[in-house]
Structure formats: C-alpha cells, structure tokens
C-alpha cells in the first residue's frame, strides 16, 4: 500500500458528510419513446409495399373463406344435376354478356331450334342474342351453323317431375297465388324425339340428315305435341293455363291441353325447371362461380376449400413451430452428444420425401384418425425440421455471448437463460420460418388432393380441398367448361403468392441484415 | 476431402437404409392386397409371393428383403399393375420420358434464367429489375400445376396447337428413341413450358441475388480502376464468382431430373416415373411403391451430397469438411 492510500484509510468516519441528501440520484429519463423489438419490426414491415399487398390479399381471402359460406344460399353438400356445369352468374338479373351465365354458342339448326323452343313456350329465353349464321363444310356436306348467346341457366328448360297428389295440389296453389306458370302441358311421349327430354314439346323430323330439326307450320311456328282432353276428365288440374290453350275459353273443349299424366303413386308433370326451382328453394339459381359437373355451387366449394387450406396450414405451422422451437432449443443449448443424436434423427426424417410419409400414414391411419387426421400427422412428423434447424442455429449463435455468461454467473437457471435471454433473439427467425412454411403446406395439400393420393373430396361431410376441385376442373377442360378449373386455380395462386410475399416481408422486417438475400 | 466424401456417402447409405426399413415394415403391417386377373397370372403372383416369403413373420421378411436387394437387386414383380413383369424393368421403361421432359425444360431454363438474372442484377433498382423481380415472385409462388392448367387450356384446348396429352409411347420399341424424337418433343412443349417457368424464376432469383452482391464488392472496384470496362469486369470477375453458388444449383437440378414432377406428368399424361408412382399408390401395388420410394429417397440424398461437394470443386477456397 502506498502512503496516500494509507492516509485515506486513516481519515476517521465522522469527517465524511453527504454531499446532498435531498435529491435522488439517477440517470436522466429518456426523452424519446422506447421502441420495442416488435414495434421496430412492424415499422420495417409496413414500409415494405409488397408485403403489405401480400397481407391485404391474405386478409381478403381469409374473409372470403369465412364469410362466403355463411352468406351463400348453397351448402357444400348441395348439388342439383339440372344445373351441372352452368356458367358463372353474378346475380339473378345479370345481363350484358359478362358474368351473366351466358356463352357464345355455335350449333347446327336442330340444336338452335331446340334452344329457341325453350323460350317460345315460357318466355324464359335460352337464346339471348343472335350473331347470324355461317356455312361450313363437314364431311363434304354444307352445314349452316347458327351463332348465338346461350343462357346456360334457361337452357335447362323443362323437366318431367313425378309428384304425389298432395304435392301437385300445393304446386297449383303456389301457381294461383303468385301467377307464375310452372306446370306446362304434357307431351305425347311417343311422338317426341327423346322421350326423357321434356324440352321436345314440338314436332321434329325423326330420321335422315335433318333429324332433330323442327317441323314448322305455315306461319313458321313450332307445332306442339301437347296431349289434349276436356278439363272434366283431368280434374286434378285447375290452375293457370298457357297462352294459346283452347282450354282458357272452354275448359270442356276436346282440344284443351292436358297438364298432367297419371302415373303410379301420383302424377307426372312437365315443369319449367327454373320456376320450379324457385318454388322449391325459395331463391333463384345463381352460381357466382358457376356450378361443377355434379351441379354443386363452385363459389361455396372454393370458399370452404380455402377455409380448409387456411385451417390446415395455420394449424400445422403453429404445431410445428412449437415442436421445432423446443427441439431446436434443446439441440442448440446443450450441444455435444445430445445435439449429435438429435441431428441424426432429424437428418433421417428430413431425407424421407414428404409424399412417402403422407402415403404411408394415410394407408395406416385414414380409418382411425380420418383422412385429415392422417394428413396432419404427416405434416407434423416432418414439418418441424426446418424450424428446429433455424432455432438451433440461433442458439449456437447466442448461447456463447457474454450477456448469457453474465446471466449464468448471476445464477440464472437453464430455463431462464433459454426463455428470457436466448429466445427473444430467435423469435424473428422462428416466426419467419413458420410464415414461409404455410405456403408449402398449402402446396403439398392441394397437390396430394389433386393427384387423388389423399381423398379430400367428400362434400357430403363438408370436406373439400382446392386440389380436388382442380381434379374435377381438369376433366371439364376438354368439355369446354373452363370456369370449374379457373376459380380454384386463381385462389391457389393468390394464396401462394400472398403468403410468400408476407413471409418475405416478415423476414426482412425481423432481420434487416438479411434483406435481399432470398431463401 | 476423401475422408469427408466417404463419411457423407456412408451417412447417406445409412439414412437410406433406415428410411427403407421403416417403409418396408409399415407396408408389411398392412394386409396384402388381393390379386386379381386371369387364373394363370394369379397363380404366378401367388407362387412368387410364396417364394419371396410374403407369408412369413415380418422380421424374417425384413431380412429376406434386404438379402434379395444386396445379392441380386431384386425388387419383385408387379402385382396389380404390369402383372408378373419385373418392377425394375418397368421403371427402366418409364425413366426416359421423365428424363426427357425435365432435360428439355432445363436446357431452356438455364440460359434464360441466368440471362435474366444477370440482366436484373446489372439493372438493379431500375424498372427492368423491378419487372423481372415481380415476375420471378409470381412464377416462384404459383404452383406448376396451376400454370400447367392455364397452358393446357389456352394452347391445347382453345388454340389447338398441341394435343391435350403427349404422344403415346410404344414400350415394345426403343423407348429412348421415341422420347427424343422431334414429334415427341413438339407434343411435350406444353409440359416443358409448365416446368420451365418455375425453374427459370428460381435461376433468375439466385443469379440476381448472388451477382448483385458480388457487383458491389471491392475487387470489382479494383477491376474497374485497372481500366476494365463494365462488361469485362462483370463477365470476367463478377460472373465467375457468382457461379460458385449458381453452379451447384444447376447440378442439383440435373440430379432431380430423374425424380421429375409427379403432377406435370399426371396432367399431360407423360408415361414417366411420376405417373407410375401415383398409380402404384392408388392401386396399392406395394412392390412398385417400395422401389420408386427408394429411388426418390436416394436421388434426394445424392443430390444433397453432390451439391455440397461441388462447392469445394468449383472454389478451392471453400474447404469442405474442414473444422
């Protein structure tokens, strides 16, 4: 000890006095507001235009998938074969050649007349607009082709329906009260071109090259094939009669039209299906995205498929995030032999193509856990590896830092070190890896469903996947019904793009140093 | 280096062994599918099953399975598809179509992708770069099957330039010659295009990211001060260094050519391995399933090793396996 320090030590205690006692000493309070890690990340995220676009699309699709099934008049289970493959129609009164359920159609005379005839009886026209004719040579013979705009909803036309007496009476009651004609005169089945197609109410050429074409009277009108008889002999019908029916003036006339045919258990009637549909369901058939090959509403199906994709992808990535975070933390924190063994296990699981896992688990567990259960199991089994790897890397990076050592010296336990000191640093990477995992789940799910490897097409149980909608859509391409493929394809594409944009935005926001580096 | 390669290979072999063993046991736990077909076929398949020990306890079967593979590389015969024919032979017949489509698509993708990537990097932050980057984002995200649908609808159905499916392949004749014939190429164009968009986008993104990083480095500045033109400096210095990352990716793609794309093959009716695999799953032909699963797993593992090793070959500064 030097002299000086000696001297200081010798100063008696009572000679010391407090410099000040009335004020608390401390650092100056910061004038600016502190910015938390999350707020900082959000600020960077909000600056990134493309990720905001991604987020908006995600929110839009999420709302669509949640709200659409609620507001839609159709359910996933619904289907009506009469309206199979009908085109998209935005509302019941849509008109104007766009999104109104019509298409430009070209056909020979017989089909053209068939479509015209539908409108003649009821005024519900299947031919909306005519574009004139053209002549082509098919197999050495000149054929005139008629080009027109065909309303796919009205082209359904008439149907034979078998009703009980009570149902028939109720239907007439409805007709009387609303004044809408639903029941149309029955037709002589022997004279029809096809006895199962209720739209052949007019006389046609039955053989030869002109088969199917209408025979017209001197005025150029269709010649009806209606069955006739006095009203008293067909007394179960007493309601609206169509224009031109001699029965309007004199119901007892021999020429009065007959409106039903007696069959076993009731009556067979010929109904205008559109109005009959309104009578049955209380609303008009409007398929915003069109209908599928079985007549199900594509709008509802796409919405529930999107909902399924969202639920599956988000659910699976949360589970994987938790598993991956725990697994990676143990690997990274303890290192050494534990790390080595756990890495090998992850390596092996990582080497299995996902397809194999999905197929094997589906074969084993589809019956006990359900198809969806088996699929989730498959995703959970291998999906966490990526998250675990990133967490492990972060742990290796931070566990040797001085502040962690300081905390340990102060007596912090492993759990506290992991949760309080290392995890917050890894949080950004973990969230990013989870967000970027979502599109890959959606991709795998839709591809497996598309290939039919996993059967996610079960509308009767409310289960539908966008992938299986694409399968039905693809077979409809060769029939010319492109809408069935188009809408699910657009939604899948939007989902993938938006989640990728969103994930990339998150990555840039959490790790500004990684900006521009694509993974 | 050699030690490291051997270590990686052994590890991959071990991984493959474990995966295939798990696969085998999981499949054997399922009931054997019933054999259908003509009497003679059923008799042959049943006899073969008996000979291969399909009715023995699982552990014995497991031993026999690996014994067969190590001694004669025998993967069994087709049971519900290609009945009584050797699984390996059928896979050999299907391989050319898969390789054909993918090689064609790569041949187009590599130059276009790298070219666009270079262009975007050179024009960084100008409108050309923004356009390319946006398109890259779209084509990387949109699944290949959505693109395939659009291409199929527009070019095959609406315009009628190509058939909805590729030409048929006659398996009794030389399959390779048929796949690489000009008419086959034409019918494959939609499929090739569907595959190429995604690959091009991938190459463009990688090249752009790598090159734009290299372009800002100090030695580029030095090259320019020495008097090299921008073009010379970019081609001689920047591109060569960017290739260190791009080349392994090309290599990896070439190995994955063998695996092909299940979905594209299904959409365009390409008679390749992918379609075979999907069919083997839907009709439950386990012999095919096992063989093709092993094939896919092996390709994945080998691709990983080759990519890792190629870094060291291209750039001696990167010492693989060094601690």
């Amino acid at each position: 000890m030097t002299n000086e320090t000696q001297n200081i030590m010798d100063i008696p205690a009572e000679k010391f006095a407090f410099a000040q006692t009335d004020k608390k000493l401390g650092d100056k309070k910061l004038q600016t507001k502190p910015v938390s890690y999350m707020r900082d990340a959000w600020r960077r995220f909000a600056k990134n235009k493309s990720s905001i676009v991604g987020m908006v699309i995600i929110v839009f699709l999420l709302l669509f998938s949640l709200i659409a099934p609620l507001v839609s008049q159709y359910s996933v289970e619904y289907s009506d074969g009469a309206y199979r493959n009908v085109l998209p129609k935005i509302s019941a009164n849509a008109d104007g050649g766009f999104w109104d359920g019509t298409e430009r159609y070209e056909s020979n005379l017989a089909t053209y007349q068939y479509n015209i005839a539908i409108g003649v009886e009821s005024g519900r026209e299947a031919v909306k607009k005519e574009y004139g004719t053209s002549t082509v040579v098919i197999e050495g013979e000149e054929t005139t082709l008629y080009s027109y705009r065909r309303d796919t909803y009205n082209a359904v036309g008439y149907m034979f329906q078998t009703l009980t007496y009570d149902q028939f009476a109720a239907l007439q009651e409805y007709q009387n009260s609303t004044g809408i004609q639903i029941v149309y005169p029955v037709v002589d089945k022997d004279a029809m071109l096809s006895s199962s197609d209720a739209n052949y109410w007019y006389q046609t050429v039955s053989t030869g090259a002109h088969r199917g074409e209408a025979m017209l009277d001197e005025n150029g009108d269709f010649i009806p094939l209606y069955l006739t008889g006095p009203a008293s002999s067909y007394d179960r019908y007493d309601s609206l009669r169509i224009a031109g029916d001699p029965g309007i003036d004199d119901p007892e006339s021999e020429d009065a039209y007959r409106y039903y045919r007696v069959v076993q258990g009731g009556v067979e009637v010929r109904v205008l299906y559109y109005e009959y549909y309104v009578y049955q369901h209380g609303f008009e058939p409007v398929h915003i995205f069109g209908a599928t090959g079985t007549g199900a509403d594509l709008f509802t199906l796409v919405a529930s498929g999107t909902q399924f994709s969202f639920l599956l992808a988000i659910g699976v990535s949360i589970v994987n995030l938790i598993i991956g975070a725990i697994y990676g933390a143990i690997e990274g924190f303890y290192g050494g032999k534990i790390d080595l063994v756990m890495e090998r296990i992850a390596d092996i699981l990582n080497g299995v193509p996902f397809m194999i896992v999905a197929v094997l688990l589906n074969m084993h567990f589809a019956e006990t856990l359900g198809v969806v259960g088996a699929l989730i199991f498959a995703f959970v089994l291998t999906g966490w590896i990526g998250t675990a790897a990133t967490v492990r890397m972060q742990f290796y990076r931070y566990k040797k830092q001085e502040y962690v050592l300081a905390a340990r010296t102060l007596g912090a336990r492993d759990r506290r070190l992991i949760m309080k000191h290392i995890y917050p640093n890894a949080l950004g990477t973990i969230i990013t890896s989870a967000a970027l995992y979502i599109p890959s789940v959606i991709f795998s799910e839709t591809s497996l469903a598309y290939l039919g490897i996993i059967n996610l097409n079960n509308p009767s149980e409310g289960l539908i996947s966008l992938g299986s909608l694409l399968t039905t859509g693809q077979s409809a391409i060769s029939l010319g019904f492109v809408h069935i493929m188009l809408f699910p394809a657009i939604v899948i594409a939007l989902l993938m793009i938006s989640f990728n944009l969103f994930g990339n935005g998150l990555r840039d926001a959490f790790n500004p140093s990684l900006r521009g580096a694509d993974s | 280096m050699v030690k490291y390669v051997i270590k990686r290979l052994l590890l991959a072999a071990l991984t493959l062994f474990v995966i295939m063993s798990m696969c085998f046991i999981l499949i054997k736990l399922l009931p054997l599918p019933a054999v259908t077909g003509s009497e003679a076929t059923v008799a042959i398949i049943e006899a073969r099953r008996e000979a291969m020990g399909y009715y023995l306890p699982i552990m014995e079967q497991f031993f026999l399975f690996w014994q067969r593979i190590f001694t004669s590389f025998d993967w069994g015969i087709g049971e519900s598809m290609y009945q009584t024919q050797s699984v390996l032979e059928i896979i050999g017949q299907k391989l050319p179509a898969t390789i054909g489509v993918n090689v064609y698509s790569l041949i187009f993708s590599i130059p276009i992708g790298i070219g666009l990537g270079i262009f975007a990097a050179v024009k960084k932050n100008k409108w050309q770069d923004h356009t390319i980057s946006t398109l890259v984002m779209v084509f990387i995200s949109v699944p290949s099957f959505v693109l395939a649908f659009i291409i199929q609808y527009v070019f095959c159905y609406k315009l009628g330039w190509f058939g909805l499916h590729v030409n048929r392949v006659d398996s009794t004749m030389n399959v390779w010659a048929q796949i690489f014939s000009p008419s086959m190429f034409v019918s494959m164009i939609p499929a090739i295009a569907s595959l190429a968009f995604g690959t091009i986008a991938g190459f463009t993104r990688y090249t752009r990211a790598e090159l734009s990083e290299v372009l800002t480095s100090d030695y580029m500045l030095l090259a320019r001060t020495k008097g090299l033109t921008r073009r010379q400096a970019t081609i001689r210095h920047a591109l060569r260094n960017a290739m260190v990352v791009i080349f392994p990716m090309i290599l990896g793609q070439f190995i994955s050519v063998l695996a092909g794309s299940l979905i594209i093959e299904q959409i365009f009716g390409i008679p390749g391995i992918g379609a075979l695999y999907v069919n083997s799953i839907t009709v439950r032909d386990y012999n095919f399933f096992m063989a093709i699963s092993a094939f896919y797993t092996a390709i994945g593992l080998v691709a990983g090793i080759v990519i890792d090793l190629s870094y060291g070959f291209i750039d001696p500064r990167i010492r693989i396996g060094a601690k």
Side-chain angles (χ1 to χ4, degrees):
Chain A
M1 259 183 229
T2 59
N3 261 352
E4 246 172 75
T5 42
Q6 199 78 50
N7 291 346
I8 290 171
M9 299 293 264
D10 288 342
I11 301 171
E14 59 270 19
K15 286 213 170 171
F16 285 99
F18 286 110
Q20 56 174 345
T21 48
D22 52 338
K23 247 200 209 158
K24 263 191 183 166
L25 281 180
D27 287 335
K28 254 194 191 159
K29 214 177 173 192
L30 287 171
Q31 293 296 309
T32 48
K33 262 194 183 163
V35 178
S36 72
Y37 178 55
M38 281 295 162
R39 181 176 286 274
D40 192 36
W42 167 250
R43 211 161 51 185
R44 274 194 295 269
F45 183 82
K47 259 192 209 154
N48 191 340
K49 259 183 236 150
S50 61
S51 45
I52 292 291
V53 170
M55 201 176 74
V56 169
I57 301 177
I58 292 173
V59 170
F60 170 75
L61 287 174
L62 194 62
L63 288 178
F64 163 70
S65 74
L66 292 176
I67 294 173
L70 298 178
V71 298
S72 171
Q73 47 201 10
Y74 302 101
S75 64
V76 177
E77 297 87 10
Y78 164 93
S79 73
D80 186 333
Y83 289 108
R84 61 181 178 275
N85 296 328
V86 292
L87 297 177
K89 185 177 183 182
I90 197 106
S91 78
N93 313 316
D95 211 354
F98 176 71
W99 214 315
D100 62 351
T102 64
E103 60 177 341
R104 198 185 163 122
Y105 202 72
E106 210 163 51
S107 71
N108 59 6
L109 180 63
T111 312
Y112 170 70
Q113 284 175 329
Y114 174 93
N115 282 314
I116 287 283
I118 291 169
V120 167
E121 252 188 318
S122 61
R124 190 159 273 289
E125 280 166 349
V127 177
K128 288 279 184 183
K129 205 174 183 183
E130 306 202 25
Y131 298 115
T133 59
S134 59
T135 316
V136 290
V137 179
I138 299 172
E139 286 166 12
E141 235 180 286
E142 269 197 9
T143 316
T144 310
L145 284 185
Y146 290 76
S147 188
Y148 48 95
R149 192 152 272 285
R150 175 171 166 268
D151 187 317
T152 48
Y153 290 80
N154 289 349
V156 171
Y158 307 88
M159 293 252 182
F160 289 121
Q161 290 284 334
T162 306
L163 306 174
T164 64
Y165 293 138
D166 291 341
Q167 284 172 334
F168 191 40
L171 182 58
Q172 290 179 49
E173 185 100 350
Y174 174 82
Q175 274 200 138
N176 291 339
S177 63
T178 58
I180 296 167
Q181 182 91 41
I182 296 175
V183 182
Y184 281 76
V186 283
V187 183
D188 181 6
K189 280 199 171 176
D190 298 330
M192 288 166 76
L193 190 68
S194 156
S195 62
S196 58
D197 190 338
N199 291 331
Y200 283 114
W201 59 275
Y202 53 94
Q203 228 168 320
T204 49
V205 180
S206 57
T207 51
H210 293 281
R211 185 174 187 273
E213 287 173 14
M215 292 203 262
L216 304 173
D217 63 12
E218 60 271 21
N219 300 330
D221 291 330
F222 291 103
I223 306 166
L225 296 171
Y226 300 142
L227 292 176
T228 55
S232 53
S233 55
Y234 296 101
D235 57 357
R236 287 201 181 274
Y237 188 78
D238 182 21
S239 180
L240 303 178
R241 285 168 177 276
I242 65 166
D245 183 353
I248 295 175
D249 301 326
D250 176 16
E252 288 310 310
S253 153
E254 279 296 324
D255 296 331
Y257 296 161
R258 272 167 57 182
Y259 286 82
Y260 68 95
R261 195 198 317 260
V262 179
V263 292
Q264 192 163 16
V267 293
E268 188 187 62
V269 289
R270 191 167 148 260
V271 295
L272 175 63
Y273 200 74
Y274 195 94
E275 295 299 350
Y276 185 69
Y277 185 94
V278 176
Y279 163 69
Q280 275 194 317
H281 294 88
F283 53 80
E284 290 179 70
V286 176
H287 296 287
I288 298 175
F289 286 177
T292 66
T294 55
D297 182 46
L298 196 58
F299 181 71
T300 316
L301 292 186
V302 168
S304 1
T306 315
Q307 203 177 41
F308 176 72
S309 285
F310 265 118
L311 281 178
L312 184 78
I314 295 174
V316 164
S317 30
I318 290 175
V319 173
N320 283 336
L321 185 116
I322 296 169
I323 299 176
I326 295 174
Y327 197 92
I330 296 173
E331 275 183 309
F333 190 79
Y334 293 105
K337 280 219 175 77
I338 295 175
D339 182 33
L340 200 73
V341 172
M342 289 175 87
E343 259 309 83
R344 282 295 84 75
I345 295 173
D347 264 356
I348 288 174
L349 281 174
N350 203 23
V352 199
F354 177 71
M355 181 75 92
I356 298 176
V357 183
V359 169
L360 283 176
L361 291 182
N362 188 50
M363 284 173 178
H364 276 274
F365 297 112
E367 271 156 35
T368 46
L369 293 176
V371 180
V372 181
L375 185 61
I376 293 175
F377 191 11
F379 276 121
V380 169
L381 199 63
T382 55
W384 50 266
I385 296 169
T387 315
T390 45
V391 174
R392 176 171 169 269
M393 282 299 289
Q394 293 292 321
F395 267 73
Y396 265 112
R397 226 165 102 191
Y398 288 105
K399 74 172 179 188
K400 287 280 158 60
Q401 301 230 334
E402 284 79 1
Y403 75 93
V404 178
L405 187 66
R408 195 196 291 280
T409 325
L410 287 170
R413 289 203 197 127
D414 283 359
R415 212 179 64 180
R416 188 176 166 83
L417 288 178
I418 293 177
M419 298 308 290
K420 279 270 175 199
H421 295 285
I422 305 179
Y423 251 124
N425 284 304
L427 199 62
T429 10
I430 296 172
I431 294 176
T432 308
S433 76
L436 284 171
Y437 181 63
I438 290 178
S440 74
V441 172
I442 296 176
F443 178 75
S444 305
E445 173 246 319
T446 47
S447 343
L448 287 173
Y450 167 74
L451 289 170
I453 287 175
I454 286 174
N455 180 18
L456 292 174
N457 184 15
N458 200 350
S460 58
E461 284 171 26
L463 176 68
I464 192 83
S465 159
L466 291 172
S468 40
L469 284 177
L470 281 180
T471 317
T472 47
Q474 201 209 354
S475 49
I477 287 186
S478 48
L479 302 171
F481 302 114
V482 67
H483 64 274
I484 304 175
M485 174 215 89
L486 190 65
F487 289 103
I490 289 175
V491 171
I492 293 179
L494 279 180
L495 272 176
M496 300 293 292
I497 293 176
S498 58
F499 269 112
N500 275 328
L501 287 175
F502 180 72
N504 286 346
L506 277 185
R507 188 198 50 213
D508 291 348
F510 281 120
N511 302 306
S513 58
L514 279 182
R515 184 178 288 260
D518 295 281
S519 66
Chain B
M1 184 72 187
V2 177
K3 204 176 149 198
Y4 176 75
V5 175
I6 291 171
K7 197 177 139 199
R8 282 295 301 265
L9 283 174
L10 279 178
L11 213 59
L14 182 73
T15 312
L16 184 63
F17 179 79
V18 173
I19 292 170
M20 287 327 292
S21 302
M22 288 194 298
C23 244
F24 181 82
I25 290 169
L26 280 173
I27 281 194
K28 286 298 160 188
L29 286 173
L30 295 165
L32 270 177
V35 186
T36 53
S38 73
E39 226 169 274
T41 321
V42 174
I44 293 174
I45 292 173
E46 280 298 337
R48 188 67 201 263
R49 280 184 173 181
E50 195 73 48
M52 289 174 89
Y54 276 22
Y55 301 102
L56 296 171
I58 288 183
M59 284 327 285
E60 264 177 72
Q61 285 193 52
F62 179 74
F63 179 72
L64 286 172
F65 170 72
W66 283 114
Q67 192 188 34
R68 271 200 305 277
I69 286 177
F70 284 127
T71 52
S72 57
F73 207 63
D74 178 9
W75 291 87
I77 56 169
E79 294 188 339
S80 21
M81 313 187 298
Y82 301 99
Q83 287 179 316
T84 72
Q85 295 191 55
S86 156
V87 164
L88 273 188
E89 230 165 76
I90 299 294
I91 291 179
Q93 278 176 19
K94 298 288 177 184
L95 210 49
T98 301
I99 294 178
V101 174
N102 286 282
V103 165
Y104 280 137
S105 109
L106 264 190
I107 289 174
F108 291 107
S109 310
I110 294 170
I112 299 177
I114 294 180
L116 283 175
I118 294 172
F119 184 66
V122 171
K123 300 270 178 195
K124 198 174 181 189
N125 288 333
K126 296 203 180 112
W127 67 267
Q128 294 98 327
D129 174 37
H130 291 307
T131 319
I132 291 176
S133 297
T134 313
L135 286 178
V136 162
M137 188 68 215
V138 169
F139 283 114
I140 279 197
S141 307
V142 174
S144 59
F145 55 90
V146 170
L147 275 176
F149 282 136
I150 297 168
I151 291 174
Q152 195 179 35
Y153 175 70
V154 175
F155 294 100
C156 305
Y157 177 75
K158 205 84 192 176
L159 298 173
W161 291 357
F162 310 99
L164 279 178
H165 299 297
V166 302
N167 294 347
R168 292 201 154 279
V169 173
D170 185 357
S171 60
T172 53
M173 295 182 342
N174 186 347
V175 183
W176 287 97
Q178 289 177 65
I179 293 295
F180 288 95
S181 67
S183 65
M184 193 64 176
F185 171 73
V186 171
S187 77
M188 275 180 177
I189 287 176
I192 295 167
S194 318
L195 282 171
F197 274 111
T199 327
I200 290 174
F203 277 123
T204 308
R205 185 159 81 165
Y206 252 80
T207 312
R208 181 190 168 275
E210 266 318 301
L211 196 58
S212 54
E213 203 182 308
V214 174
L215 280 175
T216 53
S217 55
D218 291 341
Y219 62 79
M220 281 300 290
L221 192 66
L222 179 71
R224 293 298 303 280
T225 28
K226 274 194 325 191
L228 267 69
T229 61
R230 203 168 162 204
R231 174 186 291 266
Q232 284 173 324
T234 309
I235 293 174
R236 293 207 194 142
H237 294 269
L239 206 55
R240 282 182 67 173
N241 277 293
M243 274 297 159
V244 173
V245 179
I246 299 163
F247 188 75
M249 188 186 164
I250 297 177
L251 219 57
Q253 288 277 351
F254 258 105
I255 296 170
S256 323
V257 154
L258 292 166
S261 160
L262 296 172
I263 293 188
I264 298 294
E265 287 188 14
Q266 198 77 356
I267 293 175
F268 292 103
I270 296 165
I273 296 272
L276 190 69
Y277 193 50
V278 173
N279 288 339
S280 79
I281 293 164
T282 37
V283 303
R284 304 256 158 131
D285 195 319
Y286 295 136
N287 289 347
F288 272 109
F289 179 74
M290 280 299 290
I292 305 176
S293 294
F295 179 69
Y296 280 161
T297 315
I299 286 173
L301 292 169
V302 171
I305 296 176
V306 171
I307 291 172
D308 281 358
L309 294 183
S310 66
Y311 282 108
F313 283 118
I314 300 166
D315 188 350
R317 288 173 303 178
I318 301 172
R319 293 188 49 206
I320 299 286
K323 294 263 160 147

